[in-house]
Amino acid sequence: MKNISERQLERFPIYLKYLLTLSNDNENISAPMISRALGFSEEQVRKDLQVVTSKEGKPNRGRNKDELISDIQKFLGYQNIDNAVIIGVGHLGKAFINYSGFKAFGLKIVAGFDIDNNIVGTKINNIEIYDLNDIEKTLPLLNVKIAILTVPGEVAQEITNRITEIGIKAIWNFVPTHIDVSENVVIENVNLASSLAVLSHKLNLKEKGE
Amino acid sequence: MKNISERQLERFPIYLKYLLTLSNDNENISAPMISRALGFSEEQVRKDLQVVTSKEGKPNRGRNKDELISDIQKFLGYQNIDNAVIIGVGHLGKAFINYSGFKAFGLKIVAGFDIDNNIVGTKINNIEIYDLNDIEKTLPLLNVKIAILTVPGEVAQEITNRITEIGIKAIWNFVPTHIDVSENVVIENVNLASSLAVLSHKLNLKEKGE
DNA sequence: TAGATTGTTAATCGATTAACAATC
DNA sequence: TAGATTGTTAATCGATTAACAATC
């Protein structure tokens, strides 16, 4: 596989979502059509599609839509489901546990961990909540490499250290704190404050007369 | 103000968070220190700080930490609070309503909107939930320009059309669907599927022996 | 065939990094 | 003073866009 940038990678789920919402009227889809619908440049779409598709597109016709969908899904690994756990079942963690849509992205949440005795031992959306204090005992039994981190910032680094000691290889971090991980662990940060900063900056530009 | 890229903009909340977690031991902070802590290059940190600070830094000392914090907060507009509404009070919308941390980012959630009669008319975290069907009557009374969009994908575009008709100027979109907005409205998309795609790609690279 | 779309190669654009003199 | 850090200017790197011949 060629080297691929994060920027480019992020566009594939967007293509996929768009393709899936299309009606079944047209069998084929072309780069210019996608370009117009999503606001990306034609050239960019063409180059992106080339990365994930096995076959070449056909001039004047584009690509078979269903094949393209399947190519993207394969590329993103949506067909083999990975197990994941939620670390920290607060408001956000609870929302994720209740959200059943991750499965379509190849992610199955198999457990939650928290320190709150009111929820430890209960099930939410049929998913067991375990005691975070005992995670060293419980987590290794679950066959999980991915952790969704939704704990308070103060404990994020310490908990990261603990779970990466016992088999977690990937951290999807929703805590707005910088976290250091060792060489063999990957981390992806979702920083809502950053996203909001972009939004309000755009809004300011608009209002102050562009 | 100079032109500033979204990439650069996104880093400022990260700097800010880091600075706020520092103990009060050291009065000053330098670019190399931040660089080491956050993993950005020294040059990048230096250039970034120059964008937001009024004074120059001092060779061999860096900058006054509290002044820098205040400069970033000012730059990001965290001191003047904007009102916002949550459109769609499902699991994610509820999590945001219950999360009281947005205020520190200059955002105050003043109302929620949903179609579910079980929650319309109630309060969550002391925030009133209004009937989404009557939003044309209610929203204009609230003095809001920012909407946090957490509705099902099927209705996202239609609801966006409606709320931008009645005064919404900025949409923080958590729906993984492409949404078209008119010229005078800004939108910022938070696409968890994209973020997850990056994470699993990184994980795959690690596992397939880098 | 004509026209739309393709893939590829080259040009442009923007962001990051390197280099270095200035200075606390 | 010496050393660390600064701001600025130039070089590099990477991603996006433009151009164009090939072709269904």
Side-chain angles (χ1 to χ4, degrees):
Chain A
M1 198 195 305
K2 288 171 212 157
N3 261 15
I4 180 171
S5 74
E6 294 192 5
R7 290 301 227 22
Q8 192 175 21
L9 212 37
E10 287 173 350
R11 288 192 292 267
F12 290 111
I14 299 171
Y15 292 131
L16 182 60
K17 182 80 197 178
Y18 166 67
L19 294 170
L20 289 172
T21 59
L22 284 181
S23 73
N24 277 329
D25 293 354
N26 25 15
E27 199 186 332
N28 291 313
I29 185 92
S30 71
M33 281 170 74
I34 298 177
S35 161
R36 278 190 297 273
L38 299 181
F40 301 148
S41 81
E42 271 188 41
E43 298 87 345
Q44 191 170 59
V45 175
R46 254 184 288 153
K47 291 220 161 163
D48 285 347
L49 299 192
Q50 283 174 41
V51 172
V52 293
T53 52
S54 31
K55 293 186 195 168
E56 296 205 327
K58 291 192 184 153
N60 200 21
R61 262 203 270 166
R63 287 180 158 80
N64 180 278
K65 197 184 67 182
D66 291 334
E67 265 178 38
L68 181 55
I69 287 174
S70 147
D71 281 341
I72 298 178
Q73 287 174 331
K74 233 172 269 167
F75 180 78
L76 292 173
Y78 283 2
Q79 77 284 57
N80 39 336
I81 310 285
D82 285 317
N83 287 340
V85 291
I86 306 256
I87 312 287
V89 188
H91 295 303
L92 191 57
K94 221 172 266 168
F96 288 156
I97 286 187
N98 277 306
Y99 175 62
S100 302
F102 283 136
K103 211 155 180 188
F105 305 145
L107 206 65
K108 185 187 174 192
I109 296 174
V110 294
F113 287 87
D114 204 285
I115 55 166
D116 181 356
N117 282 325
N118 293 316
I119 56 171
V120 167
T122 69
K123 287 192 172 191
I124 301 177
N125 193 22
N126 216 24
I127 292 164
E128 178 99 27
I129 312 301
Y130 295 97
D131 191 344
L132 183 52
N133 295 311
D134 292 340
I135 195 164
E136 279 81 4
K137 286 180 208 152
T138 329
L139 185 66
L141 307 174
L142 293 170
N143 184 30
V144 184
K145 278 182 290 195
I146 302 176
I148 302 174
L149 198 65
T150 48
V151 297
E154 307 86 70
V155 296
Q157 181 66 62
E158 183 230 323
I159 289 179
T160 299
N161 296 345
R162 285 172 61 192
I163 61 180
T164 52
E165 282 281 318
I166 54 174
I168 290 296
K169 293 286 178 218
I171 292 180
W172 201 10
N173 175 36
F174 288 82
V175 184
T177 310
H178 178 77
I179 295 178
D180 282 313
V181 292
S182 69
E183 269 291 300
N184 58 334
V185 175
V186 297
I187 186 165
E188 166 75 9
N189 300 297
V190 178
N191 193 327
L192 293 185
S194 291
S195 171
L196 183 58
V198 173
L199 182 69
S200 38
H201 187 256
K202 285 185 195 166
L203 182 59
N204 281 339
L205 283 184
K206 277 276 182 231
E207 299 202 320
K208 298 221 172 103
E210 36 207 329
Chain B
M1 200 194 306
K2 288 171 214 160
N3 261 17
I4 179 172
S5 74
E6 294 191 5
R7 289 301 225 24
Q8 192 174 22
L9 210 37
E10 287 173 350
R11 289 192 292 267
F12 289 111
I14 299 170
Y15 293 131
L16 181 59
K17 182 78 197 179
Y18 167 67
L19 294 170
L20 288 172
T21 58
L22 285 180
S23 73
N24 278 329
D25 292 353
N26 26 12
E27 200 186 334
N28 291 315
I29 185 92
S30 72
M33 283 170 74
I34 298 177
S35 160
R36 278 190 297 274
L38 300 181
F40 302 147
S41 80
E42 270 189 40
E43 299 87 344
Q44 192 171 57
V45 175
R46 256 184 286 151
K47 289 219 162 165
D48 285 347
L49 300 191
Q50 284 173 40
V51 172
V52 294
T53 51
S54 32
K55 292 184 192 169
E56 295 203 330
K58 289 190 184 154
N60 199 21
R61 260 202 272 163
R63 289 181 156 80
N64 179 281
K65 196 184 67 180
D66 292 335
E67 265 177 35
L68 181 55
I69 287 174
S70 147
D71 281 340
I72 297 179
Q73 286 174 330
K74 233 174 266 168
F75 180 78
L76 292 174
Y78 283 3
Q79 77 284 59
N80 39 335
I81 310 285
D82 286 318
N83 287 339
V85 291
I86 306 257
I87 313 288
V89 188
H91 294 303
L92 190 58
K94 220 171 267 167
F96 288 157
I97 287 187
N98 277 306
Y99 175 62
S100 301
F102 284 136
K103 211 156 181 187
F105 305 145
L107 206 64
K108 186 188 174 193
I109 296 174
V110 295
F113 287 88
D114 204 286
I115 55 165
D116 180 356
N117 282 325
N118 293 316
I119 55 171
V120 167
T122 68
K123 287 190 172 190
I124 302 176
N125 193 21
N126 217 24
I127 292 164
E128 178 99 27
I129 313 300
Y130 294 98
D131 190 345
L132 183 53
N133 296 309
D134 293 340
I135 196 168
E136 278 80 4
K137 287 179 204 150
T138 329
L139 185 67
L141 307 173
L142 293 171
N143 184 30
V144 184
K145 278 181 289 194
I146 302 176
I148 302 174
L149 198 65
T150 48
V151 298
E154 308 86 71
V155 296
Q157 181 67 62
E158 183 230 322
I159 288 178
T160 300
N161 296 345
R162 284 172 61 191
I163 62 181
T164 53
E165 281 281 317
I166 53 175
I168 291 296
K169 295 283 176 219
I171 292 180
W172 201 10
N173 176 35
F174 289 82
V175 185
T177 310
H178 178 76
I179 294 178
D180 281 314
V181 293
S182 68
E183 268 291 298
N184 57 335
V185 175
V186 297
I187 186 164
E188 167 74 9
N189 300 297
V190 178
N191 194 328
L192 293 186
S194 291
S195 171
L196 182 58
V198 173
L199 181 68
S200 38
H201 187 257
K202 284 185 196 165
L203 181 59
N204 280 339
L205 283 185
K206 276 274 182 236
E207 300 202 321
K208 299 224 169 98
E210 35 207 323

